[in-house]
Amino acid sequence: MAVAALSTFTSPLSSSSTVKFRYSFDSNSLFFLKPLHCHCKFTPSNHSYNHRQEVVGKKKKPRECKDERSGKGNVAGPQTAAYKSFGISKKDKESLKFDSKDQQVEPNNIQDSAFLNAVVKVYCTHTAPDYSLPWQKQRQYASTGSAFMIEGRKLITNAHCVEHDTQVKVKRRGDDTKYVAKVLARGVDCDIALLSVESDEFWEDVEPLRLGRLPHLQDSVTVVGYPLGGDTISVTKGVVSRIEVTSYAHGSSDLLGIQIDAAINPGNSGGPAFNDQGECIGVAFQVYRSEEAENIGYVIPSTVVSHFLTDYEKNGRYTGFPCLGVLIQKLENPALRACLKVQSNEGVLIRRVEPTSDANNVLKEGDVIVSFDDVRVGCEGTVPFRSNERIAFHFLISQKFAGDTAELGIIRAGQFMKTKIVLNPRVHLVPFHIDGGQPSYLIIAGLVFTPLSEPLIEEECEDNWGLKLLAKARYSLARFKGEQLVILSQVLANEVNIGYEDMGNQQVLKFNGIRIKNIHHLAHLVDSCKDKYLCFEFEDSYVAVLDREAVAAASSSILTDYGIPSERSSDLSKPYIDTPEGDQPSGKEYGDSPVSNYEIGFDGLLWS
């Protein structure tokens, strides 16, 4: 059962300032820390960061940075008696190799190792959106984390360390100067961000780190960064405990992760992890804490970092990890395999296919996937991984890039066949993160409309949402790209909307009889309406009708009374481009299984 608490810690950002931290945790979950913000609602947001100020959250969304702010995820904890109860906050291709002759280090001499100079401290000022009042932002807050230099005058850190950034600065080891940094790319799903610094002085006399190979079990690992407890660089040591597909709290995704027993604390987020040869094997980003376990930290492996960098270099931006777009069930039971006419002890059963994925054109419910690019898939949903190891089938998908093609071997009605599928990033009907940072909104006669998102659900608290709408959020798949659940967030009281003042957090389904595809579609319908009345149809058959001329007359005064700069977000001022709905039926509002692995209560089902 989840537990929420409120406590106060002194942040190392200032020896005299007291920072409140809000944290919530599940007894068996990844954790992160985030600072308590100055809004009156106590709402753990869907993202977390691992800066100095962070909050511990549920397994749903881990992140890790010293001072991060919102979300469920992992992060290292604060420096108090409760310190060990927190985790760090808000993902086998051949890795880059390098000659480590000049960077090899003996354990006793790590303090004098040149590669430590490539690890820098990150200072970030964040200004997060206010999802309940989408025309404004929340009060800014500051955090610190870690980063390290790589080739090409770039820096690697965690995405949660620089989320919603308004200013990012970095400081080298032993230097008093802070240099302004720019965020070039942010991979929310893999919790990696790429930074640049223009100053030539910043790069002088420092050898950048290069990525090493994926480590083996029991290999020694050294985590370097700037966690709580002081201002100078910190070094902790441990061993590699496990390598497997891991839940990434910040990105709400599943990618390869390295589990270690070295201490990871708030502020370690974004810092490198080294092996005994001085090779960088990954990026520290989250931890796991429960009453039954201790010393479980996680590192983003060098293979995932290399994938992120290659994606950025190929496309000039980060496009994301692809997915297959199917819900699979394990086939451990012999009777189940026999019923499906699967002769061997292998394969996974397709139980659901995402309408927006290419798999929807090729695969069907009831198909059995037995191979992926000629790699046999076991009945537990695993594939061979190095020698004498197996790993989740999803690992093979994560090695691909957006737009790549995969060849699947499937059994359909007892017949084996091969088919090819194009892999692309998953499309979420209710997104975990808002692209561009600021949510869209539309105000009509004081009625505030905005797309439903996980940050909005958590900011408003789940208790304030109807069960039917929450069921849609947790069980509905997007039927076409661009589809959104548009909700009436609140009503700004005015004479023109008398009788509707108490409405809020309700989905609007139709406008003047036309089903709404997304908020841009709603804005287009309102703008092009010539009828006398504006008729909005909501969930549970509720209807709100407004006089079009009265709406136009009242709009200006409503914006003035509530201090709102515009009746709509800037993205809704662009011309509307119609979105094809495809041939998916619209009668079924939500499916029989959750759309996220975080909501599935057992490991027999898994989204790939």
Side-chain angles (χ1 to χ4, degrees), residues 459-583:
E459 188 169 292
E460 287 288 318
C461 295
E462 290 191 0
D463 291 344
N464 294 328
W465 300 89
L467 291 178
K468 190 172 184 179
L469 188 55
L470 280 179
K472 282 188 178 183
R474 301 290 185 257
Y475 286 78
S476 298
L477 296 173
R479 295 179 294 114
F480 53 89
K481 293 182 179 179
E483 184 181 16
Q484 294 175 328
L485 298 182
V486 181
I487 66 160
L488 173 64
S489 174
Q490 62 178 306
V491 177
L492 308 175
N494 183 270
E495 183 178 351
V496 73
N497 56 46
I498 287 178
Y500 307 137
E501 304 95 327
D502 295 331
M503 296 179 64
N505 295 342
Q506 297 171 253
Q507 183 187 4
V508 55
L509 302 176
K510 296 180 181 180
F511 173 78
N512 284 3
I514 301 175
R515 192 166 192 88
I516 297 168
K517 300 178 181 179
N518 50 52
I519 193 167
H520 206 162
H521 183 221
L522 175 60
H524 169 71
L525 293 175
V526 172
D527 292 342
S528 58
C529 178
K530 304 300 181 184
D531 297 341
K532 179 176 176 58
Y533 297 106
L534 308 181
C535 179
F536 301 90
E537 297 180 45
F538 295 88
E539 198 70 78
D540 299 326
S541 302
Y542 192 85
V543 177
V545 177
L546 300 167
D547 184 280
R548 183 168 61 87
E549 293 183 358
V551 168
S555 294
S556 178
S557 62
I558 292 175
L559 296 180
T560 301
D561 291 344
Y562 289 90
I564 302 173
S566 175
E567 67 176 3
R568 65 186 64 190
S569 54
S570 58
D571 59 311
L572 301 187
S573 300
K574 300 176 182 177
Y576 172 71
I577 300 176
D578 194 25
T579 304
E581 293 193 38
D583 56 359

Side-chain angles (χ1 to χ4, degrees), residues 167-310:
Q167 185 184 69
V168 180
K169 295 178 290 186
V170 293
K171 186 174 73 172
R172 287 173 43 173
R173 179 190 182 198
D175 193 350
D176 284 336
T177 304
K178 295 178 183 177
Y179 300 86
V180 175
K182 178 182 178 182
V183 179
L184 299 178
R186 204 181 340 250
V188 174
D189 54 356
C190 60
D191 201 4
I192 301 173
L194 187 66
L195 313 180
S196 67
V197 176
E198 293 184 0
S199 173
D200 293 331
E201 181 183 2
F202 176 77
W203 302 99
E204 290 179 357
D205 304 322
V206 179
E207 183 71 21
L209 304 181
R210 286 174 287 176
L211 303 180
R213 302 176 183 176
L214 194 68
H216 294 276
L217 298 181
Q218 293 188 328
D219 280 359
S220 296
V221 59
T222 300
V223 176
V224 180
Y226 292 87
L228 291 172
D231 293 326
T232 58
I233 201 165
S234 169
V235 177
T236 58
K237 291 185 66 66
V239 298
V240 174
S241 308
R242 181 182 291 152
I243 300 177
E244 64 180 4
V245 174
T246 303
S247 295
Y248 279 44
H250 175 69
S252 300
S253 52
D254 300 302
L255 295 172
L256 191 67
I258 302 173
Q259 179 184 319
I260 64 174
D261 65 357
I264 298 179
N265 298 306
N268 273 126
S269 292
F274 298 96
N275 59 20
D276 277 348
Q277 288 71 49
E279 299 174 334
C280 176
I281 62 168
V283 186
F285 77 118
Q286 67 186 30
V287 298
Y288 178 98
R289 285 291 182 269
S290 77
E291 296 176 357
E292 294 81 22
E294 293 182 356
N295 300 330
I296 299 179
Y298 291 93
V299 171
I300 302 170
S302 55
T303 52
V304 174
V305 179
S306 296
H307 189 287
F308 169 86
L309 294 173
T310 302

Side-chain angles (χ1 to χ4, degrees), residues 132-149:
S132 298
L133 305 173
W135 52 86
Q136 66 185 32
K137 291 181 177 290
Q138 299 179 23
R139 184 174 181 175
Q140 73 177 24
Y141 64 96
S143 71
T144 65
S146 304
F148 60 93
M149 302 178 186

Side-chain angles (χ1 to χ4, degrees), residues 39-197:
H39 26 93
C40 51
K41 296 177 183 174
F42 170 54
T43 55
S45 54
N46 63 324
H47 305 313
S48 306
Y49 306 94
N50 192 13
H51 288 64
R52 282 199 174 178
Q53 303 167 341
E54 300 177 304
V55 176
V56 180
K58 298 179 182 178
K59 178 178 179 181
K60 206 171 188 179
K61 303 153 195 169
R63 295 183 182 177
E64 170 230 3
C65 196
K66 260 189 187 177
D67 194 324
E68 314 228 67
R69 72 167 283 284
S70 58
K72 305 169 183 176
N74 314 26
V75 176
Q79 198 178 23
T80 68
Y83 186 75
K84 61 183 178 182
S85 298
F86 298 107
I88 56 176
S89 70
K90 348 204 197 90
K91 240 174 197 198
D92 175 356
K93 255 191 169 181
E94 188 176 16
S95 306
L96 297 175
K97 303 176 183 178
F98 71 102
D99 184 1
S100 60
K101 183 183 299 182
D102 297 330
Q103 297 195 38
Q104 286 185 352
V105 55
E106 294 296 329
N108 294 334
N109 298 326
I110 194 168
Q111 177 178 332
D112 302 321
S113 303
F115 66 75
L116 292 185
N117 294 329
V119 184
V120 303
K121 190 172 185 176
V122 178
Y123 298 82
C124 185
T125 301
H126 312 257
T127 309
D130 189 326
Y131 296 95
S132 298
L133 305 173
W135 52 86
Q136 66 185 32
K137 291 181 177 290
Q138 299 179 23
R139 184 174 181 175
Q140 73 177 24
Y141 64 96
S143 71
T144 65
S146 304
F148 60 93
M149 302 178 186
I150 60 172
E151 293 180 346
R153 293 163 63 100
K154 302 291 190 300
L155 293 164
I156 289 290
T157 187
N158 283 143
H160 70 255
C161 290
V162 292
E163 189 176 31
H164 305 310
D165 66 286
T166 50
Q167 185 184 69
V168 180
K169 295 178 290 186
V170 293
K171 186 174 73 172
R172 287 173 43 173
R173 179 190 182 198
D175 193 350
D176 284 336
T177 304
K178 295 178 183 177
Y179 300 86
V180 175
K182 178 182 178 182
V183 179
L184 299 178
R186 204 181 340 250
V188 174
D189 54 356
C190 60
D191 201 4
I192 301 173
L194 187 66
L195 313 180
S196 67
V197 176

